[in-house]
Amino acid sequence: MERLVSNWYNHRPLPESYICPPETRPGKLSIPSGDTIPVVSLGEALINRSNTILNVLRASQEFGFFQVVNHGVSEKVLNDTMNVVEEFFKMPMEEKASLYSEDPNKVCRLYTSNINYGTEKYHFWRDILKHHCHPLDDCIKLWPQKPTRYRDVIRTFSVEGKKLGLTILELLTEGLGLESGYFKKDLSEAMLLVANHYPPCPDPSLTLGLPKHCDPNLITILLQGHTFGLQVFKDGQWIGVQPLPNALVVNIGHQLRIVSNNKLKSAEHRAVTNSKVARTTVGLFISSSEDSIIEPAKSLTNAAQPPLYRAFRYKEFLSYYFSMMGDTELALQPFKLPFNQSVIS
């Protein structure tokens, strides 16, 4: 418990163990907080579905990241979710002690920095609450009991978020020309909630809340709150994702990149800190069941466009991904087909 950043952040300067190598430090440079990250109104699909599909597909191809508005998740659900998660992180340490664990296999746990705290070369400025959301009726029994409304609020958010994720996946299914419902059942069966809490940092130029990485799963739905911190790497520069009222951030994960045979982009991103206010985010990571077979969709490959990846079980990918600490290309390398082999296929 004493390792949690929120336990000691306001009592001492930035520890040396949290200082990133010079090449990965965010520095004090001004980061574009731009309007260049696409914003898609999903409500338009009721009037002009083809245009909405085009907008979602283009954003997924060019950025791998976009924000959605008019998405069907109510403002009350979003506000309740953020409020209850912030309330959780503000609770006295003794009320959260039972959830703290350094065992990555625990279904619901509170921990700090990253999955491999004991072996990582340097630490990250965040505390994390992580728990499974599927099967919901079983998982909810293991969620935090305090705040008392946590389970009810997060149940609603997880159900609404999963519904939104499946809606976006269906739009991408149509845009890619796949058969309807391609991503239903085991390919999108599992879901994980990850709530990140970034306390104010004494020197944001030297450390990171999250390192550069791509998500390993299918698709992620993120409630990022009202504070800057999320950045996407595109064309050699970091672009800040501007918090928008009642918007949700969507990003494409490695599995969607693989199934689309690289037609969609899994974007590298990171989280930076600030010295003034705490920042809290709540992410829903929609993924395949561990035994699902992941491979490029057959209808997206042919002699001219051979499969770029071999078939594998999702749990095999996850194991290798975490051993590589999320390094984008290293994580994908063992699953890529050699060029001549993919042509023969």
Side-chain angles (χ1 to χ4, degrees), residues 258-274:
I258 291 167
V259 171
S260 73
N261 208 36
N262 277 5
K263 288 179 171 57
L264 304 183
K265 180 179 181 180
S266 51
E268 293 180 309
H269 53 288
R270 70 181 184 184
V272 297
T273 63
N274 75 82

Side-chain angles (χ1 to χ4, degrees), residues 109-126:
R109 73 176 181 128
L110 173 67
Y111 61 108
T112 193
S113 183
N114 221 336
I115 192 170
N116 299 309
Y117 185 95
T119 58
E120 61 193 13
K121 295 178 180 177
Y122 52 94
H123 305 313
F124 300 100
W125 195 264
R126 67 162 182 161

Side-chain angles (χ1 to χ4, degrees), residues 279-340:
R279 176 173 178 262
T280 301
T281 65
V282 188
L284 294 173
F285 292 72
I286 298 172
S287 62
S288 306
S289 61
E290 288 193 345
D291 286 319
S292 293
I293 301 298
I294 309 296
E295 61 183 332
K298 296 288 194 294
S299 60
L300 298 180
T301 63
N302 52 44
Q305 295 181 309
L308 301 176
Y309 303 92
R310 66 175 175 86
F312 56 87
R313 292 191 187 277
Y314 182 50
K315 63 183 176 183
E316 178 191 356
F317 180 88
L318 272 184
S319 176
Y320 191 77
Y321 172 90
F322 286 117
S323 72
M324 291 295 102
M325 301 295 287
D327 185 292
T328 304
E329 291 308 316
L330 284 179
L332 291 171
Q333 200 60 43
F335 306 94
K336 291 181 177 179
L337 287 172
F339 179 72
N340 58 348

Side-chain angles (χ1 to χ4, degrees), residues 129-141:
L129 173 65
K130 178 185 290 186
H131 59 67
H132 293 273
C133 299
H134 178 86
L136 184 56
D137 288 337
D138 293 334
C139 292
I140 198 170
K141 299 170 187 175

Side-chain angles (χ1 to χ4, degrees), residues 164-185:
L164 171 61
L166 292 176
T167 296
I168 293 170
L169 286 170
E170 188 62 23
L171 292 172
L172 287 170
T173 295
E174 293 182 43
L176 290 168
L178 299 172
E179 61 183 272
S180 179
Y182 186 91
F183 291 106
K184 289 185 177 178
K185 298 183 179 178

Side-chain angles (χ1 to χ4, degrees), residues 26-32 205 231:
K28 297 181 180 180
L29 297 176
S30 175
I31 301 292
S205 69
Q231 297 177 347

